[in-house]
Amino acid sequence: MSYQGKKNIPKITSERLLIKGGRIVNDDQSFYADIYMEDGVIKQIGDNLIVPGGVKTVEADGKMVIPGGIDIHTHLQMPFRGTSTVDDFSQGTKAALAGGTTMIVDHVIPEPGSSLLEAFERWREWADEKACCDYSLHVDITHWNDSVRQEALSLIKEKGVNSFQVYMAFKDLYQLSNSEIYEIFTFLGEHGGIAQVHAENGEIIAEEQARMLEMGITGPEGHVLSRPEELEAEAVFRAVTIASQTNCPLYVTRVMSKSAADIISQARKKGNVVFGEPITASLGTDGTHYWSKNWAKAASFVTSPPLSPDPTTPDYLSTLLASGDLSVVGSAHCTFSVAQKAIGKDDFTQIPEGVNGVEERMSVIWDKAVVTGKMDENMFVAVTSTNAAKILNLYPRKGRIAVGSDSDLVIWDTDAIRTVTAKTHHSAAEYNVFEGMELRGAPLLVICQGKIVLEDGNLHATAGTGRFIPCSPFPDFAYKRINARKQLAILKAVPRGMYDGPVSEFSPMSRGGTPSASTRNSPTKAPVRNLHQSGFTLSGPEEAPVRPAGRRTFMPPGGRSNITSLS
Amino acid sequence: MSDCRRQWNREDELPVYLAKPIATGPNQRQKSHGMFSSVEGAYDNKTIDFDQYAVGRKGNRSSRSSSRERIVDGDFEDYEISGGTISSPGERDDGRPGVEITDQAEKECRYEQNNGKSERLLIKGGRVVNDDQSLYADVYVEDGIIKQVGENLIVPGGIKVIEANGCMVIPGGIDVNTCLHKSYLGTPPVDDFYQGTKAALAGGTTMIIDHVTPQPGDSLLEAFEKWQEAADKKSCCDYSLHVDIPHWHEGVKEELEQLVQEKGINSFQVYMAYKGLFQMPDSQLYEAFSFLKEQGAVVLVHAENGDLIAQEQSKILGMGITGPEGHPLSRPEELEAEAVFRAITLGNRVNCPVYITKVMSKSAADTVTNARKKGSVVFGEPITASIATDGSHYWSKNWVKAAAHVISPPLSPDPTTPDHLHSLLACGDLQVVGSGHCAYSTSQKAIGKDNFTLIPEGTNGVEERMGFVWDKAVAMGKMDENQFVAVTSTNAAKIFNLYPRKGRIAVGSDADIVIWDPDKIKTITTKAQQSALEYNIFEGMECRGGPVYVVSQGRIVFEEGKLQVQQGTGRFISRKPFPDIAYQRIKYRNKVMSKQGVSRGMYDGPVYDIPATPKYITPAPSAKTSPTTHQPPPIRNLHQSNFSLSGAQIDDNIPRRSGHRIVAPPGGRSNITSLG
């Protein structure tokens, strides 16, 4: 590193920056070019740039320059039973920056029954005060009624939130019923939101948990035993079904098992708009540690859905990630101290759930997928940054190195080797689930909002510099297909003559009533049929065989009516 | 036609000696002891003596009765001489089936038969087809039981003889899914137990299993007795009953136990659809599955996602679609596949056999197939309608026709569905064909003329069931005759624990026998059917294969198109729990699946102090059902083996970061709590 103008005192808040001689890697191509940025925005890309004097220059020496990572799933400063996660927005975003991630998207979790907007404002306040990098927010929908619908609408229209998470697990707390999820998805499909889903079958989990506790299994292994991976797969399948019925894009958070990932790839093959998000932990480690004799270690792995005890899972997930069947990698960073985890020392269902991963995310993917030859560097950029930006409708502002994009850049050192350990990590957690892993690939230099925040292993982050980035609805990445399908999916009735035959007498008692539940909210209000509608029929004009025509008079109103009186 | 017949027989003999173990036993071969010893078997006769292996052939093994020579030996002329009638191959060209009844003492037997009481019966010269093998043998029946199967039977004189002339003799069909007494809004279906079983017998089905459908709130036992009474009075063939569980509560358990232990019911249906009526949430399903598994019952599942259906129905009605096409539109096949997947997941968790009734779509069938490949104990039942027709008729402009097809789950509008289902049936991924027969008249269907959700659901199919399986699967070369027997009869008998009393032609089995003519061609039409329905959904379809004779309880009830049945002759067949085909695997898995905790030292570090606000209680849903109080908390069984998938961790014993535990001691750091 050198300074062109010797007069400048080295200041870390340099507003103008030139990166020379780097290989720019976007999700579509890689090329050698210099980058000039000013005021946090990339102004020029190319060779022999004309830049003002005195600008700070970084020599990249042919190293990779990639768009800064976007961690689409974090839980920083998440309240939990009167306490909160040990990594607040300051600590958590520092860890993110240290790992090459320059933007996080955190989950707002309103208490069931409380206001979405208020919770959103509270999270904004916390993050504005402490975040060191840009952030955005998902809002979790933990209950559903008309006022929630209004609030969600104003969040989409005015507050810059375009993704909402629903829970299929956590019975009696966050869990929503199928019909509520259907309504939420319908709502989101209409207003351009992304439906995120925590997919596990909460009903069965509750039963299994009770069974495990009865059997005397109270340790962390009970967590994974009571949440077998097929419950995850089942819920993913159900979520895909509901989303395809409602024509809403679906985003499955935390894909932890092979079978859940398989369901997603199958659904994508059938054409469903569904995105799967494996997390750092599911790509980097597995669930065998739940059986560790060290309680604190076993408890530190507790997250939902649990890590799969099948040790081949990480490999499988990274393969699907490389093939594009899974779209994006989050971290689900949600850290609790050992003392907090110990709330559940006699009952695994009480252990607060969450693992670390925001710092290790990019390196784990590089090490597991790129170094092993599964994925190329462009795909690496896609799954760590670009796809997330597209889903959030932030592309190309984020997730791409292009003129006009935010200057969130990482110079990636492909050969760096570091050993993950809780002693040196930036998170406040005492345990690291990747403890002892050697990871190849690490950020050499991280630029966030045009400022160098990581250099020579030293972090120069300032709390409160992070900006909230509003996401607009109808991201093209998901909604182009959805919109096209909306036009096709219009159903039409068959215009028929009125049926004028005999109608059987029936007792309109409500209990033994119709098998359909919807009669109450949808009466047969319109006996007038629109005869101008086109008679779309899948079977083509099938009236050619004259048989049915004569059939109508086969049992005229007068004759045959003894059938009704048969018994 | 006679030439065809001969060809047919000749080819079909091939598997017979392959299936039968070699009668004389293989030659014990000498082990060779060194390079100069003779080559093994070098001097043995290499000519295969087929006659030795043949079954049902003239050979050295047994000389068959001189009066009966087989066509395969080439002497067609003396084809058949037994009692009095001579039938030569030529005679059958007039389209009559090649089977004859003869009476050795004609008058007596005619008389007996007219009373429907012929207790002794000999079926001669037929090819007995079971699910595992086919062989030529005679069958002698007495008192409704098969007494002898074989050649040269020694039988008393004066009995009635059916000459099968090489036709197939198969176990009578078992239709596991009928609703002959399920009323809709107070109106009973037009096919009651009399009409329905008549239709069944005419189609070659000699036993039905009907669904008892109590309304929510009704007593299961009372409903069961009502059904039994109705069936005892009217049924013409043996029957048994499934009981549907309309809702789940503690009281149901007692009734279920009684039904299993005392009443001989081993199958119960639960519903994942019909929201607000029969539908159960997953946690109730879990409990129901657990309980029924302990009882050794088979869980039948109506698999459709009722929540979503209710939403879709109101959406579609809101769009102004009120005709029958709204039915399939509001119940897309995905919802069926989703529920099948969920039912199988539940079955796996509880370790309980699951039986999916009415598999109507490709994706549902594929879900069953995939689950079976992974080892789940799951059975799938397509029905007559789903293997013979498709859902394009819902768009018919004839309301009556469209409404006649309304059934749940709906027929798939994809016209390739039947084909796919046959293939899966043929390869064994689907096991049983039911009919879902539930016949409502047009005027009953018209209750829903302005609202498709009110149309009573049900199609016909009990009479056409066997014929269509033959026509679509066997005649097309997808399935062999043994598999045909398996899917129409034997598998059902095994799953519902009726085997080998039903579903097999063997000594000691019930004499429910069908003589099947594979070449009979029949056009389905309302006029010729036994059902009282005005609209047959298979109207006009041609169907190859059909019964020539049907013997139920040892009596001939169907003979050359004429039915001779009597109301009330059907018996209730009680069934024991724990059918082997489902529960053998379950038993072993029970043993393997027991889980054990890890024995650890007690955690003695600091524990975060949580305020006891009940509002906040943990994301764990089980907090209410299983509080930590009622387990013996502190004393852990240290003798338990510490099973660990990962083996011993290298760092297990290193108290790494032990100094770290006090990083957040109860006193310090607590400022985090005051943050928000």
Side-chain angles (χ1 to χ4, degrees):
Chain A
M1 178 160 309
S2 67
Y3 296 98
Q4 284 189 344
K6 295 286 183 200
K7 61 190 178 211
N8 275 8
I9 51 162
K11 54 173 183 172
I12 49 172
T13 54
S14 151
E15 296 293 341
R16 294 170 174 183
L17 201 57
L18 179 69
I19 298 177
K20 282 188 82 166
R23 188 155 51 94
I24 297 175
V25 180
N26 275 325
D27 69 320
D28 53 349
Q29 60 173 350
S30 313
F31 55 94
Y32 286 94
D34 300 344
I35 306 168
Y36 172 68
M37 56 198 104
E38 205 178 303
D39 299 328
V41 175
I42 297 172
K43 294 288 187 191
Q44 296 178 55
I45 292 176
D47 297 330
N48 306 319
L49 301 178
I50 298 160
V51 297
V55 71
K56 186 171 165 188
T57 306
V58 178
E59 291 290 345
D61 289 332
K63 291 212 160 60
M64 280 170 62
V65 181
I66 58 175
I70 300 175
D71 189 342
I72 195 165
H73 186 167
T74 64
H75 296 273
L76 303 179
Q77 213 168 330
M78 183 185 87
F80 175 80
R81 298 172 114 189
T83 165
S84 72
T85 53
V86 292
D87 284 334
D88 60 8
F89 274 101
S90 158
Q91 195 81 37
T93 50
K94 274 180 193 156
L97 288 170
T101 296
T102 55
M103 176 175 181
I104 59 153
V105 189
D106 206 71
H107 277 269
V108 175
I109 308 179
E111 284 304 309
S114 68
S115 155
L116 261 54
L117 277 171
E118 280 170 25
F120 172 77
E121 295 299 345
R122 203 158 59 232
W123 253 262
R124 278 291 310 270
E125 212 175 284
W126 294 337
D128 281 339
E129 185 188 331
K130 293 195 169 175
C132 311
C133 68
D134 288 350
Y135 71 96
S136 190
L137 293 171
H138 307 292
V139 175
D140 295 3
I141 296 177
T142 50
H143 64 297
W144 183 246
N145 53 37
D146 274 338
S147 76
V148 173
R149 179 197 300 266
Q150 289 308 318
E151 290 190 319
L153 193 59
S154 76
L155 283 171
I156 293 176
K157 297 244 191 267
E158 296 154 23
K159 301 292 184 183
V161 175
N162 76 352
S163 45
F164 295 84
Q165 170 154 324
V166 298
Y167 291 87
M168 301 171 85
F170 305 117
K171 193 180 173 188
D172 298 334
L173 189 71
Y174 300 143
Q175 186 178 329
L176 298 176
S177 72
N178 289 338
S179 7
E180 286 168 328
I181 293 174
Y182 182 98
E183 283 176 16
I184 293 169
F185 283 14
T186 310
F187 164 79
L188 292 175
E190 279 165 14
H191 295 96
I194 302 279
Q196 299 195 323
V197 62
H198 176 113
E200 276 184 298
N201 189 318
E203 305 259 348
I204 304 181
I205 288 171
E207 301 281 345
E208 293 276 323
Q209 283 180 331
R211 193 165 70 92
M212 289 301 148
L213 289 172
E214 244 165 56
M215 288 164 70
I217 298 176
T218 58
E221 69 276 12
H223 180 74
V224 65
L225 290 176
S226 63
R227 292 167 172 266
E229 68 176 70
E230 53 180 346
L231 303 193
E232 188 190 348
E234 188 279 319
V236 171
F237 197 103
R238 189 147 40 100
V240 167
T241 305
I242 300 175
S244 106
Q245 280 312 301
T246 51
N247 200 19
C248 170
L250 180 73
Y251 180 100
V252 180
T253 60
R254 291 197 254 213
V255 174
M256 305 297 278
S257 65
K258 282 182 177 180
S259 41
D262 279 340
I263 302 278
I264 291 172
S265 6
Q266 279 168 23
R268 286 174 70 90
K269 287 199 187 93
K270 285 187 198 150
N272 292 316
V273 183
V274 52
F275 307 105
E277 169 210 277
I279 66 169
T280 321
S282 64
L283 289 170
T285 182
D286 60 57
T288 53
H289 303 283
Y290 290 116
W291 279 267
S292 164
K293 289 222 174 187
N294 179 346
W295 188 91
K297 180 181 176 189
S300 70
F301 284 82
V302 170
T303 185
S304 284
L307 291 160
S308 166
D310 178 351
T312 60
T313 304
D315 204 42
Y316 192 80
L317 293 181
S318 51
T319 306
L320 289 189
L321 195 62
S323 72
D325 280 352
L326 297 173
S327 312
V328 64
V329 181
S331 72
H333 189 85
C334 180
T335 45
F336 290 99
S337 69
V338 173
Q340 285 171 322
K341 290 262 184 190
I343 291 169
K345 74 186 171 70
D346 296 323
D347 177 355
F348 65 87
T349 65
Q350 309 287 320
I351 301 174
E353 293 169 355
V355 292
N356 63 305
V358 72
E359 185 173 352
E360 298 81 4
R361 190 177 67 100
M362 309 261 291
S363 294
V364 164
I365 300 166
W366 186 269
D367 185 73
K368 299 283 176 189
V370 187
V371 173
T372 56
K374 288 184 179 178
M375 192 185 268
D376 58 23
E377 56 194 22
N378 303 95
M379 194 69 190
F380 172 73
V381 170
V383 299
T384 55
S385 177
T386 312
N387 287 350
K390 285 180 176 171
I391 290 169
L392 293 164
N393 217 358
L394 297 173
Y395 188 82
R397 177 177 175 187
K398 301 280 185 189
R400 186 169 185 86
I401 298 179
V403 174
S405 299
D406 278 1
S407 51
D408 291 347
L409 301 179
V410 172
I411 299 183
W412 190 255
D413 183 354
T414 54
D415 303 324
I417 295 182
R418 61 173 178 168
T419 306
V420 179
T421 161
K423 283 181 193 121
T424 57
H425 71 193
H426 289 80
S427 159
E430 297 119 308
Y431 266 91
N432 190 315
V433 294
F434 310 104
E435 185 75 39
M437 272 175 71
E438 275 200 351
L439 296 179
R440 277 157 292 185
L444 194 65
L445 185 109
V446 178
I447 297 162
C448 181
Q449 298 178 15
K451 293 188 268 289
I452 297 174
V453 291
L454 180 83
E455 191 180 6
D456 305 329
N458 300 318
L459 208 53
H460 315 285
T462 321
T465 51
R467 301 164 297 180
F468 175 73
I469 311 287
C471 305
S472 52
F474 295 106
D476 276 351
F477 195 52
Y479 269 89
K480 268 192 177 162
R481 283 178 288 171
I482 295 286
N483 285 336
R485 289 175 198 187
K486 266 183 197 163
Q487 286 159 14
L488 281 182
I490 294 167
L491 304 173
K492 292 205 178 96
V494 176
R496 295 188 181 89
M498 292 297 287
Y499 173 84
D500 49 4
V503 178
S504 177
E505 300 266 325
F506 62 99
S507 47
M509 54 180 187
S510 59
R511 199 191 55 178
T514 167
S516 80
S518 68
T519 41
R520 55 181 163 77
N521 48 12
S522 60
T524 61
K525 54 177 182 277
V528 186
R529 246 175 255 209
N530 181 1
L531 293 175
H532 298 289
Q533 276 179 334
S534 88
F536 167 69
T537 153
L538 274 187
S539 58
E542 48 159 353
E543 293 310 292
V546 287
R547 190 172 11 95
R551 183 139 300 264
R552 273 192 209 150
T553 50
F554 185 71
M555 24 127 261
R560 272 258 186 176
S561 61
N562 56 339
I563 288 163
T564 38
S565 61
L566 239 174
S567 41
Chain B
M1 184 168 162
S2 61
D3 281 341
C4 291
R5 176 62 51 82
R6 256 178 269 134
Q7 237 12 73
W8 171 268
N9 280 338
R10 201 189 283 277
E11 278 173 16
D12 262 33
E13 292 228 337
L14 280 171
V16 174
Y17 52 73
L18 293 175
K20 196 75 179 174
I22 297 168
T24 53
N27 293 329
Q28 274 304 112
R29 288 194 168 171
Q30 243 186 331
K31 281 245 156 68
S32 62
H33 297 288
M35 62 190 300
F36 293 109
S37 69
S38 62
V39 177
E40 312 177 44
Y43 303 112
D44 288 348
N45 186 356
K46 303 292 197 307
T47 311
I48 299 171
D49 182 5
F50 279 104
D51 279 345
Q52 193 173 329
Y53 305 146
V55 183
R57 278 189 173 218
K58 193 169 79 174
N60 59 352
R61 200 158 66 91
S62 64
S63 66
R64 294 172 62 89
S65 121
S66 60
S67 66
R68 305 174 61 243
E69 294 293 338
R70 314 296 308 184
I71 28 178
V72 288
D73 293 329
D75 34 6
F76 317 118
E77 294 79 26
D78 50 342
Y79 177 62
E80 177 46 58
I81 307 161
S82 183
T85 325
I86 298 176
S87 83
S88 73
E91 269 184 14
R92 284 187 275 115
D93 285 342
D94 58 6
R96 287 174 58 214
V99 187
E100 303 293 331
I101 284 198
T102 54
D103 294 322
Q104 287 182 340
E106 289 182 36
K107 279 176 189 163
E108 286 167 22
C109 284
R110 276 288 173 222
Y111 176 72
E112 278 183 0
Q113 185 210 325
N114 287 344
N115 278 346
K117 274 194 206 160
S118 158
E119 297 291 358
R120 294 169 174 186
L121 194 61
L122 180 67
I123 300 170
K124 279 185 86 170
R127 191 152 46 92
V128 173
V129 179
N130 275 322
D131 68 321
D132 52 350
Q133 61 171 0
S134 312
L135 70 162
Y136 283 99
D138 301 343
V139 180
Y140 173 65
V141 172
E142 203 179 308
D143 297 328
I145 307 274
I146 296 172
K147 292 288 185 189
Q148 299 178 52
V149 178
E151 298 156 13
N152 302 324
L153 303 179
I154 298 164
V155 296
I159 58 169
K160 181 152 33 163
V161 177
I162 299 178
E163 286 294 341
N165 286 353
C167 260
M168 286 168 57
V169 177
I170 60 174
I174 300 175
D175 187 342
V176 290
N177 188 350
T178 63
C179 295
L180 301 178
H181 196 66
K182 176 188 179 186
S183 47
Y184 176 75
L185 294 177
T187 65
V190 291
D191 282 345
D192 59 4
F193 276 108
Y194 175 59
Q195 287 289 346
T197 52
K198 249 171 62 181
L201 288 170
T205 296
T206 55
M207 177 171 181
I208 58 158
I209 308 185
D210 203 69
H211 277 275
V212 176
T213 50
Q215 291 298 316
D218 291 358
S219 152
L220 299 188
L221 272 173
E222 277 170 28
F224 166 74
E225 273 156 18
K226 216 157 57 190
W227 252 261
Q228 204 181 13
E229 200 186 331
D232 278 341
K233 216 183 292 172
K234 291 188 174 170
S235 177
C236 312
C237 67
D238 287 351
Y239 72 96
S240 189
L241 296 170
H242 306 295
V243 176
D244 295 6
I245 306 175
H247 64 320
W248 185 255
H249 56 86
E250 284 301 307
V252 169
K253 286 188 180 175
E254 227 168 84
E255 289 194 314
L256 290 176
E257 203 170 340
Q258 213 174 335
L259 283 169
V260 173
Q261 302 296 340
E262 295 164 21
K263 302 293 184 185
I265 303 290
N266 74 358
S267 48
F268 299 90
Q269 170 148 332
V270 294
Y271 291 88
M272 300 171 83
Y274 304 117
K275 192 179 177 187
L277 192 67
F278 299 136
Q279 188 180 330
M280 290 185 199
D282 290 353
S283 47
Q284 285 183 9
L285 289 173
Y286 186 98
E287 279 173 29
F289 279 37
S290 314
F291 182 76
L292 291 173
K293 172 203 164 191
E294 279 165 30
Q295 300 294 323
V298 177
V299 181
L300 314 183
V301 180
H302 178 111
E304 274 184 299
N305 190 319
D307 287 338
L308 299 190
I309 290 170
Q311 296 281 353
E312 293 282 334
Q313 281 179 334
S314 58
K315 187 175 99 185
I316 292 205
L317 283 173
M319 290 164 74
I321 299 177
T322 58
E325 69 275 14
H327 184 72
L329 289 176
S330 62
R331 293 167 173 263
E333 69 174 72
E334 270 188 298
L335 304 193
E336 189 190 347
E338 188 279 317
V340 170
F341 196 97
R342 189 147 42 99
I344 291 169
T345 305
L346 278 159
N348 287 347
R349 288 331 301 160
V350 179
N351 191 22
C352 165
V354 175
Y355 179 99
I356 309 289
T357 61
K358 297 194 214 174
V359 173
M360 305 297 279
S361 65
K362 278 184 179 180
S363 44
D366 286 341
T367 308
V368 172
T369 307
N370 288 339
R372 287 180 65 88
K373 285 200 191 105
K374 287 186 193 151
S376 305
V377 184
V378 54
F379 306 101
E381 169 209 280
I383 66 169
T384 320
S386 64
I387 62 167
T389 182
D390 61 60
S392 54
H393 302 283
Y394 290 115
W395 279 264
S396 164
K397 292 224 176 184
N398 179 348
W399 190 91
V400 176
K401 181 182 178 186
H405 287 79
V406 169
I407 187 174
S408 285
L411 290 161
S412 167
D414 178 352
T416 60
T417 303
D419 213 39
H420 190 71
L421 295 181
H422 309 145
S423 303
L424 293 187
L425 260 181
C427 75
D429 281 348
L430 299 173
Q431 290 73 40
V432 181
V433 181
S435 71
H437 189 88
C438 184
Y440 292 107
S441 69
T442 301
S443 63
Q444 283 173 315
K445 292 262 182 190
I447 291 170
K449 73 187 170 70
D450 297 324
N451 180 348
F452 65 87
T453 65
L454 292 173
I455 300 174
E457 294 170 351
T459 57
N460 61 308
V462 69
E463 185 173 351
E464 297 83 0
R465 188 178 68 100
M466 309 255 298
F468 276 124
V469 177
W470 186 273
D471 182 67
K472 302 284 180 189
V474 187
M476 303 301 286
K478 285 190 175 176
M479 193 187 268
D480 61 22
E481 56 192 22
N482 303 96
Q483 181 70 5
F484 171 72
V485 169
V487 301
T488 54
S489 175
T490 312
N491 287 349
K494 284 180 179 168
I495 293 170
F496 296 108
N497 224 356
L498 295 163
Y499 191 79
R501 180 175 174 187
K502 302 281 185 191
R504 188 170 184 84
I505 295 182
V507 175
S509 298
D510 277 1
D512 290 349
I513 298 169
V514 171
I515 297 175
W516 188 262
D517 181 359
D519 298 327
K520 184 174 167 182
I521 294 184
K522 178 178 158 192
T523 304
I524 311 282
T525 153
T526 320
K527 282 172 200 133
Q529 76 190 7
Q530 296 297 328
S531 161
L533 209 60
E534 305 114 308
Y535 205 102
N536 191 318
I537 59 166
F538 309 110
E539 185 75 39
M541 292 176 73
E542 276 201 351
C543 179
R544 274 161 295 181
V548 187
Y549 287 94
V550 178
V551 177
S552 168
Q553 300 178 15
R555 290 188 318 259
I556 300 174
V557 291
F558 180 80
E559 184 181 352
E560 298 185 20
K562 286 189 291 286
L563 212 51
Q564 292 151 335
V565 296
Q566 245 182 334
Q567 289 198 42
T569 49
R571 300 164 296 180
F572 174 73
I573 310 287
S574 74
R575 295 174 288 135
K576 290 201 176 66
F578 294 108
D580 273 350
I581 196 175
Y583 270 92
Q584 271 189 351
R585 282 176 288 172
I586 297 287
K587 271 177 213 158
Y588 280 104
R589 289 177 195 189
N590 271 345
K591 288 181 199 160
V592 178
M593 276 173 66
S594 61
K595 288 177 179 130
Q596 276 167 333
V598 177
S599 57
R600 296 186 178 88
M602 291 298 290
Y603 173 84
D604 50 4
V607 177
Y608 191 86
D609 217 7
I610 42 166
T613 44
K615 183 186 70 161
Y616 246 82
I617 289 280
T618 179
S622 72
K624 60 174 168 61
T625 48
S626 58
T628 49
T629 49
H630 71 50
Q631 43 180 333
I635 303 150
R636 244 177 254 201
N637 183 1
L638 294 174
H639 298 289
Q640 277 182 336
S641 88
N642 42 356
F643 167 68
S644 154
L645 275 188
S646 59
Q649 298 291 301
I650 195 152
D651 52 355
D652 276 341
N653 300 319
I654 308 167
R656 184 165 43 78
R657 315 198 54 74
S658 61
H660 228 274
R661 280 194 203 146
I662 42 169
V663 157
R669 275 253 187 180
S670 60
N671 57 339
I672 291 166
T673 38
S674 59
L675 249 169

